[in-house]
Amino acid sequence: MSTGKEQLDVEDDFTPVETDDAEPVVEVAKTNLSKRRTIDNLLEERRLQKQLADYDFDL
């Protein structure tokens, strides 16, 4: 057990290691936004097709 009187060696020049594997959060947001826009476009297209199908051409 430690008595609390021991001197510990501490390195002052610690540099954090950056990994290239980590993706930034911004990329996830861009991907989600892109997916949302795709879904919105599909829903808009479906809505317009329904309006066109319901349109009375016998004016």
Side-chain angles (χ1 to χ4, degrees), residues 4-59:
K5 296 180 182 178
E6 299 173 2
Q7 182 65 28
L8 298 177
D9 294 333
V10 179
E11 293 183 26
D12 291 334
D13 44 327
F14 172 75
T15 55
V17 177
E18 295 182 17
T19 60
D20 293 335
D21 297 337
E23 293 185 19
V25 178
V26 177
E27 293 298 323
V28 174
K30 286 182 181 179
T31 303
N32 288 341
L33 182 59
S34 176
K35 288 179 183 179
R36 182 65 204 172
R37 285 183 178 161
T38 302
I39 292 170
D40 287 344
N41 289 339
L42 291 172
L43 291 173
E44 178 72 9
E45 183 179 353
R46 184 181 295 170
R47 184 184 64 81
L48 290 173
Q49 286 177 351
K50 184 178 179 184
Q51 283 181 352
L52 187 62
D54 292 342
Y55 185 74
D56 187 14
F57 290 103
D58 297 333
L59 292 178

